[in-house]
């Protein structure tokens, strides 16, 4: 796959129109935390009939099984189309894209991938149709990069279910989410405690979420803490049911998806920075000529174009692997995230530099893109963690 199909390009133009006409005018409002972005996300879903498509996918999954309990997992969304959506949202507001992706992709996606039929219908369906907002809770205050080894949140089996205690931090959508996928150590095992995942609903006694955190960037994406004080979770909300395996591997799969999912976000940021830089370089006159005539400016634009070309190629490789059913490795996800996140941050900062004082002002989009891009080097595993993982696998000869 070298590029999107003509049908996907038509969809891309429609999505870009929505982003320009509906999202862009609201960015200052949601950036200043005047209100969470969820009403606008529901507008997006309503405009493009997302809820109807999701319900149709669930209905099709049910109808293909003679025994409803054996219904296959619904395939929600077209891979290239969802990629285009994340890319176009990120061109206008990466924080909006982050919040949208965390709810549908991480929370909803985890329940669809590993939940029972009942769990998919009860919890994933309303998240995927945006009736409810989801959050995926893995990170803890003392266990950032060492998510599993230092996990302190624990679960104890009791009559009728489980009791969860602990806390999570830096969780996208936490302050407003309705449904949480929470990871905890299973204290009922004595040797190498397994990691379990639970679906917890807002309103559960003992579950409290903090106010939205104040951050350097991604202001349009509410981030917060989750506190679990002896929260009772019914047995049927253990993700995957009683037969569920240790969730370490499944959580790593979600992390891989998150890392690959950052590629279209990075491409959207780089693409918009290039567009803004080219436009400004042609319009801005200095010493009697457009600054586009200066070689140092041309070098910046050439580097941005090169970055966009490489990230686009990486994205097409990911989509082709998905189409062919040949999943890429976790190490390749790390390599892609490392390169794309660093490059997006560098390009955004170069766009600020090229525009000078105008680029540093908040009413110019590249200032927001530069702040937002930095999170992509931290969330989903820092640059340093990606480097360690890649190097370990290369040196072991297992790549």
């Amino acid at each position: 796959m070298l590029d999107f199909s003509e049908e996907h390009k038509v969809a891309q133009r429609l999505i870009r129109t929505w982003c320009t006409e509906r999202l862009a005018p609201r960015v200052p409002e949601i950036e200043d935390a005047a209100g969470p972005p969820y009403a606008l996300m529901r507008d997006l879903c309503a405009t493009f009939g997302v809820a109807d498509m999701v319900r149709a996918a669930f209905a099709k999954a049910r109808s293909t099984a003679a025994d409803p309990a054996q219904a296959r997992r619904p395939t929600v969304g077209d891979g290239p189309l969802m990629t285009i959506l994340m890319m176009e949202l990120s061109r206008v507001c990466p924080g909006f894209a982050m919040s949208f992706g965390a709810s549908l992709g991480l929370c909803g996606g985890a329940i669809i991938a590993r939940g029972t039929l009942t769990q998919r219908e009860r919890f994933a369906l309303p998240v995927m149709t945006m009736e409810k907002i989801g959050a995926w809770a893995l990170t803890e205050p003392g266990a950032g990069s060492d998510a599993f080894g230092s996990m302190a949140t624990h679960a104890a089996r009791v009559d009728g279910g489980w009791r969860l205690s602990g806390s999570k931090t830096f969780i996208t959508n936490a302050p407003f989410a309705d449904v949480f996928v929470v990871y905890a150590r299973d204290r009922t095992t004595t040797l190498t405690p397994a990691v379990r995942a639970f679906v917890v609903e807002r309103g559960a006694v003992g579950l409290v979420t903090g106010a939205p955190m104040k951050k350097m960037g991604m202001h349009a994406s509410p981030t917060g803490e989750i506190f679990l004080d002896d929260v009772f979770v019914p047995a049927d909300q253990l993700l995957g049911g009683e037969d569920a395996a240790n969730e370490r591997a499944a959580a790593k799969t979600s992390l891989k998806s998150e890392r690959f999912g950052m590629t279209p976000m990075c491409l959207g940021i780089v693409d918009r920075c290039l567009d803004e830089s080219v436009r400004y370089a042609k319009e801005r006159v200095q010493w009697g000529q457009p600054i586009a005539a200066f070689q140092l400016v041309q070098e910046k634009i050439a580097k941005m174009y090169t970055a966009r070309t490489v990230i686009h190629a990486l994205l097409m490789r990911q989509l082709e692997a998905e189409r062919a059913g040949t999943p890429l490795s976790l190490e390749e996800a790390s390599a892609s995230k490392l390169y794309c996140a660093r490059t997006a941050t560098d390009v955004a900062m170069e766009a600020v530099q090229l525009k000078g004082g105008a680029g540093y002002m908040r009413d110019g989009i590249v200032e927001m893109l530069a702040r937002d891009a930095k999170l992509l080097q931290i969330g989903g595993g820092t640059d340093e963690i990606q480097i360690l993982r890649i190097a370990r696998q290369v040196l072991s000869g297992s790549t």
Side-chain angles (χ1 to χ4, degrees):
M1 180 181 289
L2 296 177
D3 202 356
F4 297 112
S5 68
E6 288 304 315
E7 290 80 4
H8 286 131
K9 289 180 180 179
V10 170
Q12 183 175 16
R13 289 193 288 271
L14 293 173
I15 293 169
R16 183 167 296 192
T17 297
W18 184 90
C19 290
T20 301
E21 296 179 354
R22 307 291 283 273
L23 175 57
R26 299 281 299 279
V27 169
E29 172 190 333
I30 56 179
E31 272 277 296
D32 290 336
Y38 308 118
L40 198 53
M41 290 181 190
R42 293 184 174 108
D43 180 87
L44 169 66
C45 290
T47 299
F48 294 103
V50 172
D52 290 339
M53 288 189 289
V54 170
R55 292 191 185 97
F58 271 73
K60 182 178 179 181
R62 282 187 228 110
S63 66
T64 55
D67 178 1
Q70 300 302 315
R72 63 181 177 84
R73 285 164 174 76
T75 301
V76 179
D78 171 280
L81 188 58
M82 294 304 293
T83 295
I84 288 170
L85 177 60
M86 293 300 289
M87 183 174 68
E88 291 298 320
L89 292 176
S90 298
R91 289 184 87 256
V92 176
C93 186
F96 185 89
M98 177 70 73
S99 192
F100 183 86
S103 183
L104 273 70
L106 287 177
C107 178
I111 299 172
I112 286 176
R114 300 188 295 283
T116 64
L117 173 62
T118 300
Q119 290 168 348
R120 297 197 298 269
E121 296 281 348
R122 178 181 172 188
F123 300 112
L125 181 56
V127 168
M128 300 303 292
T129 57
M130 289 297 298
E131 294 169 37
K132 294 186 177 181
I133 302 302
W136 190 76
L138 176 65
T139 303
E140 297 187 3
S145 297
D146 184 18
F148 300 110
S150 300
M151 184 177 288
T153 299
H154 59 270
R157 192 185 295 270
V158 296
D159 288 343
W162 301 75
R163 291 279 179 183
L164 270 61
S165 294
S167 64
K168 302 291 181 176
T169 193
F170 307 139
I171 307 302
T172 301
N173 295 328
F176 303 101
D178 305 294
V179 178
F180 305 82
V181 173
V182 179
Y183 291 84
R185 284 184 176 275
D186 180 356
R187 278 197 168 177
T188 59
T189 57
T190 55
L191 299 175
T192 313
V195 173
R196 305 293 184 195
F198 300 86
V199 182
V200 186
E201 294 182 282
R202 182 173 293 280
V205 177
L207 183 145
V208 177
T209 57
M213 293 174 162
K214 296 181 179 180
K215 303 174 293 184
M216 171 182 170
M218 295 287 184
H219 294 168
S221 175
T223 302
E225 297 173 290
I226 303 170
F227 303 98
L228 303 139
D229 182 11
D230 198 32
V231 176
F232 176 72
V233 180
D236 61 2
Q237 290 177 218
L238 170 64
L239 190 61
E242 289 299 323
D243 295 330
N246 190 331
E247 282 290 318
R248 282 175 181 257
K252 288 180 179 179
T253 298
S254 292
L255 283 172
K256 182 171 79 168
S257 297
E258 181 181 17
R259 290 166 188 172
F260 276 133
M262 289 185 183
T263 307
M265 294 186 68
C266 292
L267 183 57
I269 290 171
V270 170
D271 186 61
R272 184 63 183 274
C273 286
L274 176 60
D275 283 356
E276 293 292 319
S277 297
V278 169
R279 180 187 58 77
Y280 186 81
K282 289 179 178 180
E283 295 175 353
R284 177 75 165 103
V285 174
Q286 195 72 53
W287 292 296
Q289 59 183 322
I291 63 172
F294 302 145
Q295 288 185 340
L296 285 175
V297 172
Q298 292 172 4
E299 180 189 33
K300 292 181 186 298
I301 289 174
K303 286 182 176 179
M304 292 180 192
Y305 175 83
T306 301
R308 185 181 69 176
T309 301
V310 174
I311 296 176
H312 182 272
L314 287 171
L315 181 59
M316 291 301 109
R317 171 173 166 74
Q318 291 171 203
L319 290 173
E320 178 60 22
E322 180 181 305
R323 184 197 66 78
T326 54
L328 301 176
S329 68
L330 183 56
E331 287 64 49
E332 187 153 1
S334 293
S336 180
K337 179 188 181 299
L338 176 66
Y339 174 82
C340 293
R342 279 187 170 181
T343 301
T345 304
D346 290 345
V347 166
M349 291 302 292
E350 283 284 51
V352 171
Q353 188 70 24
L354 187 147
K355 294 183 71 172
Y360 196 67
M361 297 298 105
R362 287 199 65 182
D363 58 357
I365 190 170
V366 295
E367 179 270 345
M368 179 189 70
L369 295 177
R371 288 186 286 104
D372 287 2
K374 187 60 186 176
L375 179 65
L376 303 180
Q377 292 186 263
I378 300 169
T382 63
D383 282 3
E384 291 75 16
I385 288 299
Q386 310 310 326
I387 291 169
L388 289 173
R389 170 167 288 281
I390 295 164
R392 186 181 300 122
Q393 294 301 117
V394 170
L395 291 171
S396 69
S398 59
T399 57

Coordinates of all heavy atoms in Angstrom, one line a residue, residues 279-286 289-292 355:
R279 N 2.9 28.4 3.8 CA 2.1 29.6 3.6 C 2.7 30.8 4.1 O 2.8 31.9 3.5 CB 0.7 29.3 4.2 CG -0.2 30.5 4.1 CD -1.5 30.3 4.9 NE -1.2 30.1 6.4 CZ -0.9 31.1 7.2 NH1 -0.8 32.3 6.7 NH2 -0.6 30.8 8.4
Y280 N 3.3 30.7 5.3 CA 3.9 31.9 6.0 C 5.1 32.3 5.2 O 5.4 33.5 5.1 CB 4.2 31.5 7.4 CG 4.7 32.7 8.2 CD1 3.9 33.6 8.8 CD2 6.1 32.9 8.4 CE1 4.3 34.7 9.5 CE2 6.6 34.0 9.2 CZ 5.7 34.9 9.7 OH 6.2 35.9 10.4
A281 N 5.9 31.3 4.8 CA 7.2 31.7 4.1 C 6.9 32.4 2.8 O 7.7 33.3 2.4 CB 8.0 30.4 3.8
K282 N 5.8 32.1 2.2 CA 5.5 32.8 0.9 C 4.9 34.2 1.2 O 5.0 35.1 0.4 CB 4.5 32.0 0.1 CG 5.0 30.7 -0.5 CD 4.0 30.0 -1.2 CE 4.5 28.7 -1.9 NZ 3.5 27.9 -2.6
E283 N 4.2 34.4 2.3 CA 3.5 35.6 2.6 C 4.4 36.6 3.4 O 4.3 37.8 3.1 CB 2.3 35.4 3.5 CG 1.2 34.6 2.7 CD 0.0 34.3 3.7 OE1 0.1 34.5 4.9 OE2 -1.0 33.7 3.2
R284 N 5.3 36.1 4.2 CA 6.1 37.0 5.0 C 7.2 37.6 4.2 O 8.1 36.9 3.7 CB 6.7 36.2 6.2 CG 7.6 37.0 7.1 CD 6.8 37.9 8.0 NE 7.6 38.4 9.1 CZ 8.2 39.7 9.1 NH1 8.0 40.5 8.1 NH2 8.9 40.0 10.2
V285 N 7.2 39.0 4.2 CA 8.3 39.7 3.4 C 9.3 40.3 4.3 O 8.9 40.9 5.3 CB 7.6 40.8 2.5 CG1 8.7 41.6 1.8 CG2 6.7 40.1 1.5
Q286 N 10.5 40.1 4.0 CA 11.6 40.7 4.8 C 12.7 41.1 3.8 O 13.1 40.4 2.9 CB 12.2 39.6 5.8 CG 13.1 40.2 6.9 CD 12.3 41.0 7.9 OE1 11.3 40.5 8.5 NE2 12.7 42.2 8.1
Q289 N 11.7 40.9 0.1 CA 11.3 39.6 -0.6 C 10.7 38.6 0.4 O 11.0 38.7 1.6 CB 12.6 39.0 -1.3 CG 13.7 38.7 -0.3 CD 14.9 38.2 -1.1 OE1 14.8 37.5 -2.0 NE2 16.1 38.6 -0.6
P290 N 9.9 37.7 -0.1 CA 9.4 36.6 0.8 C 10.5 35.8 1.4 O 11.5 35.6 0.8 CB 8.5 35.8 -0.2 CG 8.3 36.6 -1.3 CD 9.5 37.5 -1.5
I291 N 10.3 35.5 2.7 CA 11.4 34.7 3.3 C 11.6 33.3 2.7 O 12.6 32.7 3.0 CB 11.1 34.6 4.9 CG1 9.9 33.8 5.2 CG2 11.1 36.0 5.5 CD1 9.7 33.5 6.6
A292 N 10.6 32.9 1.9 CA 10.8 31.6 1.2 C 12.0 31.7 0.2 O 12.5 30.6 -0.1 CB 9.5 31.3 0.4
K355 N 8.2 30.8 12.0 CA 7.3 31.9 12.1 C 7.7 33.0 13.1 O 7.0 34.1 13.2 CB 5.9 31.4 12.5 CG 5.3 30.5 11.4 CD 3.9 30.1 11.7 CE 2.9 31.2 11.7 NZ 1.5 30.7 11.9

